[in-house]
Amino acid sequence: MTAGMERDPDRAYGGPRTVRPTTTTERRAEVFVGLLFIATILAALGLIVSYIIGANTQVDGVLLAVAFAGLGGAIVVWVQYLMHTPTMIEARHPIQPNPAADVSPGQVAMREAESGFTRRRMLIGMLFASVGGLVTAIAVPLFSLGPLPGRALFVTKWKKGSRVVDVNGNLVHASQIPINGIMTVFPEGAPGDAMSQTVLLNVGPGLLQLPADRASWAPQGFVAYSKLCTHAGCPVGLFRATEHDLMCPCHQSTFDVLDGAQVTFGPAPRPLPQLPIQLQPDGTFVALGGFPEPVGPAFWNQTSGGGA
Amino acid sequence: MTGPGPAPGDNRVFHVEGEPVPRDADAIEGDALPVPGGQLPVVGPAVRFLDNRTGLVTFGRSALEKVFPDHWTFLLGEIAAFSFIVLLITGTYLTLFFRPDGTTTIYTGPYAPLDGTKMSAAFSSVLALSFSVEGGLLARQAHHWAALLFIAAIVTHLTRIFLTGAFRRPRELNWVIGFTLLLLALAEGITGYSLPDDLLSGTGLRIIYSIIMAIPFLGPWIASLLFGGLFPTTAIISRLFIVHVLLLPGALIGLISVHLLFVWIQKHTQYKIPGATEHNVIGLSLWPGQAFRSIGAFLLTAAVIALLGGLFEINPVWIYGPYVPYAAAVPAQPDYYVGWLEGLVRMAPNWQLTLFGITILPEPFIPGLVVPGVLFTVLWIWPFIEAFITGDRREHNLLDWPWEAPWRAATGAAFATIFLVLLLEGANDVLAAWLLIPVENLTQFFRIMVFAGPVIAWIVTYRLARARLEHGTKPIEPRGGIALRRNATGGFEEVHDRAAVDAALGGGGPK
Ligand code: FES
């Protein structure tokens, strides 16, 4: 320890105070502290007035900040310049177990044995079994928090013959979607349904390179894909017309619209499922069936068809 | 070394465990709390009353004299505690107006652009408290800013503890508790962000649902239990609410109490300042020096939060609009404390393992849960890992300067680099737009940097720390080591002559 710093804490705390004249610094500090207190009082009054006349957030925020800062600043300046707070040294006592209160495993075991607790093995076993049973029984109602997912993850509202509507439930007409146009569509009767959200795009004739078995799914360059990103379920809403790709705003998974929504970039593990659609003579669309595979993000038995 | 008993000349009351504390109801009043300038008439009887019933004065007196080291880095933990208090106060005010209700209503209110829009009652109540409640928007924005400050203060506090080795025996457990507090704070942030049910928070919940759903075998079921069915559900808002305002704050308050109790029992660590040893604590006594400074610091923290809340708009949910499952938010940015997780999910390759029609590891599972779990577990039990590697199991009350343990500093820098790269990747779309680089290239770059960055950071930090260690506390280059002088032709030339430099700088050499 440095000799100069050694000080008896008690005397540093309660000992006789040296009375000496106030210095100029201290006098300045006193004035400053006073001004800060006044600032707090004025800001507090201002807040009350502002409440009565209904001022705005900015004014309230500044007044509140001034009120806090005035009080806080005053206290800090006070303690820093006007109070005698000497540096003190406190001894650190080693942290060690108290031998008088021995709770060594041996002693605990001895006490247990003395009390006769450990002798009744059978009852102890039943004690644990009953506690376990009670805890389980209390926990079981947690299952009513939510239904088993069942087949809900495997199906959407799209069926064979579903007519294609927009978010307001109005039938979608081919003339509403120009070339390189995109629209979010739903099956009739379920506009806005999260699982059934679908994008209907018009890429123009002759560009699509779909697998042969899907040739009839995209009439005249109109193609429909699930809008639910196969990564984490965000709506895949960005169509970059020049590249002909759909991009997810969440983590930039990119799907090639011309090539069956194959993933060209990003974390999505599989293409967006394609909805088979048919163009009616009146210019509206119907689904030729539901999505051929589950929509949305991956889960363990997604490719199993739901065990059904 | 100081023994267990009082040092000669030390007449404080030492409380040795096992010995009864002598206590005399009449006598104790006089010398319990020596107040300079005489006994205050109110305090004296009150203290005696309390002491006769609790015997707490001995403790109270030693508490007032407890010594707190005086270094600015010790303020970081305090700022975290102060922001937490502000969070409790502003949060309570918000609960008076917020309705944790996911059912659909039609909005009619002062915010014209959304008039007549379908939205949840929760979102509608957020609009109401933002636009129609006096001080409501201020409280909401202050709450959000305080949350950002809370987490930032915890992270910097933990960084300080890490770099100075303050977590070493006997304080390993308090590191674990402190890191758990960070996890709870992150959970508070995420649940709170989700409550308003705006477009961004709903999108965030959608991603969380998907990450849970990707847990092997049990995922869909756990997600359905937690959310009350298939996403989107009306139940989730009220469930998140009770977690956000009761369970997590309760856990935080409980653990903060234990955290502070441990600091109290084990006393503060201290830097290697003159006079500091392993067996003492040098600093200010709690009363009044430290207490006044802390109260002042609390009020100044509150002032900063009030100013931010009043002047700097944050999370303007009315611009995002209510959550609609088929509407995309671009660019979707979470708060910074989730940004690294977002980056991890963004940069992950789209591999998943499928065997016999069973997807063993569905996609966002590894980046969404496994990698964060591993990173956090390593940091969480770091004191034990370090003790295992170094074999150092002695008690440490004196802090290392960061460069005194180059290996540790380098490891800390490597971790920081990982999180920084992930954070940047979490904003890759915004960065790509600024830098005019395709977002794909940026992601490829960060994919490399998340591995290369920590290695580089480790080596550089290690070298710097070694250099600092070997040069002691002397500056690495003497002052004026590189000096330029204008020459006759108007160009500059380097001056190597030390004396000439000193002369040019005004004579007397370094001051
Ligand atoms: S949700 Fe679409 S990329 Fe992640």
Side-chain angles (χ1 to χ4, degrees), chain A residues 1-2 5 8-10 13 50-51 54-55 57-58 60-62 64-65 68-69 71-73 75-76 79-80 83 85-93 95 98 142-143 145-149 152-153 167 186 192 194-195 197 227-228 231-235 238 240 247 249-252 263 265-269 297-300 303-304, chain B residues 9 11-12 14 17 34 61 65-67 134 137-138 171 203 206-207 210 213 217 220-221 224-225 228-230 232 239 266-268 274-275 278-285 287-289 292-293 295-296 299-300 302-303 306-307 310-311 325-329 342 345-346 348 350 352 357-359 362-364 397 428-429 439-440 443:
Chain A
M1 289 180 204
T2 320
M5 304 201 55
D8 184 323
D10 278 349
Y13 183 74
S50 137
Y51 179 81
T57 304
Q58 286 83 350
D60 283 353
V62 171
L64 199 58
F68 278 132
L71 193 55
I75 289 174
V76 169
V79 70
Q80 206 77 359
M83 274 162 71
T85 57
T87 299
M88 309 217 303
I89 301 177
E90 188 182 359
R92 204 188 276 281
H93 305 293
I95 300 168
N98 182 351
L142 286 178
F143 291 125
L145 279 176
L148 275 171
L153 284 168
V167 65
F186 299 90
M195 285 290 279
Q197 53 179 302
K227 198 182 179 182
L228 212 51
H231 178 232
C234 287
L238 303 178
R240 299 193 294 190
M247 198 188 205
C250 284
H251 317 103
Q252 290 91 39
V263 183
F265 182 77
F299 52 95
W300 68 280
T303 49
S304 73
Chain B
N11 57 354
R12 279 183 298 168
F14 273 90
E17 213 143 77
R61 183 181 171 194
E65 279 178 357
K66 190 164 184 63
V67 167
E134 178 78 23
L137 183 58
L138 179 58
R171 298 180 180 78
T203 307
R206 169 74 251 196
I207 296 169
S210 306
M213 205 163 77
F217 304 107
W221 188 42
S224 178
L225 281 181
L230 198 62
R239 289 184 186 182
Q266 297 171 336
K267 298 200 166 88
H268 279 83
E278 289 282 355
H279 308 291
N280 66 8
V281 193
I282 300 182
L284 301 169
S285 62
W287 187 263
F292 270 66
R293 282 175 173 84
I295 294 168
L299 291 164
L300 293 177
L307 200 64
L311 296 187
Y326 48 85
E342 172 87 1
V345 171
R346 284 186 185 194
N350 64 342
Q352 54 182 20
I358 301 269
T359 309
E363 205 296 296
N397 296 315
N428 62 357
D429 46 349
V439 71
E440 290 86 350
T443 296

Side-chain angles (χ1 to χ4, degrees), chain B residues 81 172 176-177 254 271 275 286 292 314 369 383 402 406 413 442 485 498:
Chain B
E172 307 99 319
V176 173
I177 292 173
Y271 286 102
L286 173 59
F292 270 66
I314 191 157
L369 286 172
L442 207 56
R485 179 167 49 198
R498 174 90 200 148

